Amino acid sequence: MIKRLSRSNTLKFYLLVSPWLVGFVVFVAGPMVYSMYLSMTRYTMLNPPSWIGLANYTNLLRDARFLKSLRVTATYTFVGVPLRLIFAFAIALMLNNIRRGKDFIRTVYYLPSVVSGVAVVVLWRWLFNPEVGLVNHILGWFGIQGPGWLYDPDWALPALIIMSLWGVGRDVVIFLAGLQGIGVQLYEAARIDGAGGWQCLRYITVPMISPTIFFNLVMGIIGSFQVFTDAYVATQGGPMDATLVTVLYLYLQAFGNLRMGYASAIAWVLFVIIMFFTLLIIRSSTVWVFYETEIGGKKA
Amino acid sequence: MSRSLSPQPTILARFRAFTRTQSGIDLISQTVQYVILGLGAFIIMIPFLWMISTSFKNEFQVWDPEVWWPDPFVLSNYRRPFDVLPMKTFFKNTMITVLAGVIGVPLSSSLVAYGFARFRAPGSTVLFMVLLTTMMLPGQVTLIPTFILFRRLGWYDTLLPLTVPCFLGSAFYIFLLRQFFTGISKDVEEAAIIDGCGTLRVWWQILLPMTKPALATVVVFEFLGKWNDFFGPLIYLETLDKFTLALGMRMFQSDFIIEYGPIMALATLLMLPCVLLFFFTSRYFIQGISLTGSKG
């Protein structure tokens, strides 16, 4: 009886998960294996793939444009993500403190995150227009001669980072949810012990919110390394490859030059880099991320 | 004369004393925070206001950043994209992908999530770990083989690559819904099963209604994802009559590069459904984001 039940359970389980299982085999596992193979071939989709071993990878190391794309992506990520986190945290702290209008202000901050995509980038191109754009016009009020932004190799990447800061609201909402989860009794106890505002922030808020910081940091870095639309629509990677992010370079190699093997190799290098930084943060998290469950166990 | 010298506290001194009391410190800190938050909110809103303002300017005022209130107020910018592009077709194509997303993704994900939440089978734990791992996988790694596969199937330049996968579940939402299902008591289900209710009916008539808020969250995020999607349409669609609105927008802005009035009008039109959806369902947004954030 039990055996029959568990067999029927097995059948039910596999029937229920079959949509995902099919999708996994056809769109994830299969493509991953094939992509690994393609990355060791020369393949233009006109002739069958020809095996060239690790040549794509060694060529990548010598490809100045690829290395440039890694530098661009790294700058975009390691400047943009921390800036966004700092802003988001500060905003969330204040939002958590104020008494009225919390929901309304949160809605305003989140608004840019719901309209992502081409329309947003097109709007920012207009804002960053060197002659008649609003950004330089406002800088002009303060007597500052604004740069050429998306047309200036030195300022194009900062412009993209500013654009990404506009989407700070997503992180704010997550931080705010984390802050609202911190028990009031912790602050009350600290106040009774004579702790000031700064001490409460340093010794209660930051440790208690650190899992959320961790989450936002990991998600931010993963997402930022894969940025494409912003650079593609705003600058096409220019000027002088100043905004040639890695996924854009991959796209150009794959769908511009039809170098499918080479592009697959780029994808794998990018994957390894993302994994490296993700694991690095996860490893370091044991030092700086605090989980409430650690209290009872005296920190495992 | 002696009167003016008497130690009558001035307004300033009274204010100083007040700032040292608890309620005084409170009031000041609240005010400062409101000012900073308000200023930030204002800065966030400026690009939107600027976009809307530009979209109503005529071709001369567009070049004058001093003007915020267009005079004359022109509506023709909103007609221009419709005159030069097959906007109706773009809209139809976009809606097809959106519908596939908002119907296919929640249904298939919830079905799979039900399997993971309620049934044990050899290999089920391993498969769940695999599911979690795929959530972390960057799409680029599978991009090129998937593209080649769709080409071989003859699906290139059709909407199929953007719609069919929606019915195979999405790892992230499967995980999310599984967490929901696990939190629901099994009592009702077990009673229904004893009464002879089949597995699919339990899912459809008991679990789906109970997870409506979570499903609503999936629907709104899927709507936005599909509506704003650019990369998928960019690589899979080639001819104009297959384009989605996002592709059309990009084409419009590169072809009519200096007609900023019409470009901003089109951008406004593209953002409007997302903003409206957000205002009417912001509860589900906040819930969804907070949930995914804290569970991460």
Side-chain angles (χ1 to χ4, degrees), chain A residues 14 35 99-100 109 116 126 166, chain B residues 26 34 37 44 122 141 228:
Chain A
Y14 279 99
S35 158
R99 299 208 183 89
R100 275 162 215 264
Y109 277 94
S116 61
W126 173 226
W166 198 47
Chain B
D26 235 45
Y34 272 113
L37 284 174
I44 294 266
V141 175
N228 291 327

Side-chain angles (χ1 to χ4, degrees), chain A residues 180-200:
Chain A
Q180 284 167 342
I182 302 176
V184 192
Q185 73 278 4
L186 285 175
Y187 292 106
E188 280 165 359
R191 291 267 181 221
I192 290 166
D193 288 346
W198 175 251
Q199 282 168 312
C200 283

Side-chain angles (χ1 to χ4, degrees), chain A:
Chain A
M1 173 66 191
I2 287 171
K3 206 146 206 182
R4 196 171 347 126
L5 190 71
S6 82
R7 192 174 299 157
S8 90
N9 263 354
T10 304
L11 186 68
K12 277 178 191 163
F13 171 78
Y14 279 99
L15 279 178
L16 286 173
V17 302
S18 60
W20 170 73
L21 211 53
V22 170
F24 172 71
V25 172
V26 179
F27 295 120
V28 181
M32 269 181 87
V33 175
Y34 194 55
S35 158
M36 186 71 98
Y37 161 72
L38 275 186
S39 76
M40 299 182 196
T41 64
R42 181 176 294 124
Y43 184 42
T44 56
M45 296 191 69
L46 304 170
N47 303 308
S50 61
W51 181 264
I52 53 169
L54 292 173
N56 281 331
Y57 291 96
T58 50
N59 287 340
L60 273 180
L61 290 178
R62 277 181 264 121
D63 182 343
R65 280 192 92 195
F66 174 68
L67 297 176
K68 165 94 184 177
S69 85
L70 287 184
R71 274 200 302 278
V72 169
T73 312
T75 312
Y76 179 77
T77 301
F78 294 119
V79 176
V81 173
L83 271 181
R84 209 168 64 215
L85 286 192
I86 291 166
F87 275 119
F89 188 54
I91 293 166
L93 271 181
M94 287 187 277
L95 261 181
N96 197 37
N97 279 340
I98 61 171
R99 299 208 183 89
R100 275 162 215 264
K102 225 179 252 193
D103 289 357
F104 174 72
I105 298 177
R106 180 176 61 180
T107 304
V108 172
Y109 277 94
Y110 190 69
L111 206 53
S113 303
V114 303
V115 294
S116 61
V118 182
V120 169
V121 187
V122 168
L123 166 58
W124 277 93
R125 271 183 64 108
W126 173 226
L127 290 162
F128 277 131
N129 185 300
E131 280 91 39
V132 287
L134 189 64
V135 175
N136 277 359
H137 180 67
I138 291 176
L139 287 177
W141 294 346
F142 302 96
I144 301 167
Q145 168 75 46
W149 294 112
L150 298 168
Y151 300 95
D152 182 336
D154 292 332
W155 285 98
L157 194 58
L160 288 190
I161 292 174
I162 292 172
M163 240 168 83
S164 78
L165 287 179
W166 198 47
V168 71
R170 239 195 90 82
D171 295 338
V172 171
V173 172
I174 300 177
F175 271 131
L176 193 60
L179 288 173
Q180 284 167 342
I182 302 176
V184 192
Q185 73 278 4
L186 285 175
Y187 292 106
E188 280 165 359
R191 291 267 181 221
I192 290 166
D193 288 346
W198 175 251
Q199 282 168 312
C200 283
L201 178 70
R202 171 73 188 77
Y203 295 106
I204 299 176
T205 311
V206 171
M208 292 300 283
I209 202 78
S210 59
T212 313
I213 300 177
F214 170 74
F215 176 82
N216 276 344
L217 183 65
V218 171
M219 292 319 243
I221 284 180
I222 292 178
S224 186
F225 262 107
Q226 299 182 65
V227 65
F228 172 80
T229 304
D230 291 15
Y232 181 77
V233 178
T235 55
Q236 296 267 2
M240 289 163 67
D241 289 348
T243 57
L244 184 75
V245 290
T246 307
V247 178
L248 179 54
Y249 188 57
L250 185 155
Y251 169 84
L252 294 176
Q253 290 294 344
F255 303 102
N257 303 341
L258 290 179
R259 295 176 71 186
M260 294 297 176
Y262 199 57
S264 300
I266 295 175
W268 279 102
V269 173
L270 183 67
F271 172 63
V272 169
I273 291 172
I274 293 175
M275 276 319 263
F276 172 78
F277 284 112
T278 309
L279 290 176
L280 196 72
I281 299 166
I282 292 175
R283 267 294 168 81
S284 76
S285 70
T286 52
V287 180
W288 64 270
V289 177
F290 171 82
Y291 290 102
E292 236 173 310
T293 46
E294 284 170 4
I295 298 174
K298 275 282 171 203
K299 195 166 192 285

Side-chain angles (χ1 to χ4, degrees), chain B residues 82-154:
Chain B
F82 292 87
D83 290 340
V84 296
L85 287 173
M87 292 294 290
K88 255 190 212 146
T89 314
F90 293 170
F91 179 73
K92 192 192 81 198
N93 293 335
T94 308
M95 280 322 284
I96 292 173
T97 67
V98 165
L99 279 178
V102 300
I103 295 171
V105 173
L107 280 185
S108 56
S109 302
S110 136
L111 192 68
V112 176
Y114 176 48
F116 275 118
R118 290 291 194 254
F119 297 94
R120 288 284 146 271
S124 61
T125 324
V126 176
L127 283 180
F128 191 63
M129 296 305 285
V130 170
L131 178 99
L132 292 184
T133 318
T134 59
M135 276 167 46
M136 313 257 246
L137 192 77
Q140 294 80 32
V141 175
T142 55
L143 171 70
I144 287 160
T146 311
F147 177 77
I148 295 168
L149 176 73
F150 283 134
R151 262 201 103 108
R152 289 271 159 76
L153 289 171

Side-chain angles (χ1 to χ4, degrees), chain B residues 5-238:
Chain B
L5 283 175
S6 72
Q8 183 72 257
T10 63
I11 291 175
L12 192 70
R14 254 196 240 166
F15 180 72
R16 279 214 186 110
F18 176 65
T19 59
R20 273 182 226 113
T21 64
Q22 189 55 45
S23 60
I25 292 169
D26 235 45
L27 183 73
I28 291 170
S29 100
Q30 284 283 314
T31 313
V32 169
Q33 295 185 73
Y34 272 113
V35 169
I36 297 174
L37 284 174
L39 200 67
F42 182 63
I43 293 171
I44 294 266
M45 286 310 288
I46 285 178
F48 287 119
L49 302 175
W50 181 244
M51 171 181 75
I52 294 166
S53 150
T54 305
S55 76
F56 289 112
K57 287 179 179 177
N58 67 18
E59 64 263 51
F60 305 110
Q61 277 197 329
V62 154
W63 306 111
D64 186 359
E66 290 283 336
V67 179
W68 280 85
W69 193 256
D71 179 33
F73 213 80
V74 291
L75 292 167
S76 61
N77 290 333
Y78 282 86
R79 280 234 354 249
R80 187 97 170 97
F82 292 87
D83 290 340
V84 296
L85 287 173
M87 292 294 290
K88 255 190 212 146
T89 314
F90 293 170
F91 179 73
K92 192 192 81 198
N93 293 335
T94 308
M95 280 322 284
I96 292 173
T97 67
V98 165
L99 279 178
V102 300
I103 295 171
V105 173
L107 280 185
S108 56
S109 302
S110 136
L111 192 68
V112 176
Y114 176 48
F116 275 118
R118 290 291 194 254
F119 297 94
R120 288 284 146 271
S124 61
T125 324
V126 176
L127 283 180
F128 191 63
M129 296 305 285
V130 170
L131 178 99
L132 292 184
T133 318
T134 59
M135 276 167 46
M136 313 257 246
L137 192 77
Q140 294 80 32
V141 175
T142 55
L143 171 70
I144 287 160
T146 311
F147 177 77
I148 295 168
L149 176 73
F150 283 134
R151 262 201 103 108
R152 289 271 159 76
L153 289 171
W155 290 6
Y156 181 71
D157 204 23
T158 71
L159 294 172
L160 292 172
L162 307 173
T163 50
V164 172
C166 294
F167 293 89
L168 300 176
S170 144
F172 182 65
Y173 295 130
I174 293 172
F175 172 68
L176 195 74
L177 291 168
R178 191 206 84 116
Q179 301 301 91
F180 252 83
F181 288 146
T182 326
I184 295 174
S185 146
K186 289 182 193 168
D187 296 351
V188 186
E189 276 169 76
E190 275 162 4
I193 292 168
I194 289 166
D195 288 348
C197 191
T199 311
L200 278 181
R201 254 187 74 191
V202 168
W203 168 68
W204 180 257
Q205 292 195 329
I206 298 173
L207 281 169
L208 276 191
M210 282 170 118
T211 45
K212 263 185 199 158
L215 290 173
T217 304
V218 178
V219 168
V220 286
F221 278 109
E222 213 33 56
F223 178 92
L224 291 185
K226 288 287 177 188
W227 182 271
N228 291 327
D229 185 22
F230 178 64
F231 194 68
L234 177 70
I235 63 171
Y236 289 118
L237 306 177
E238 199 182 11

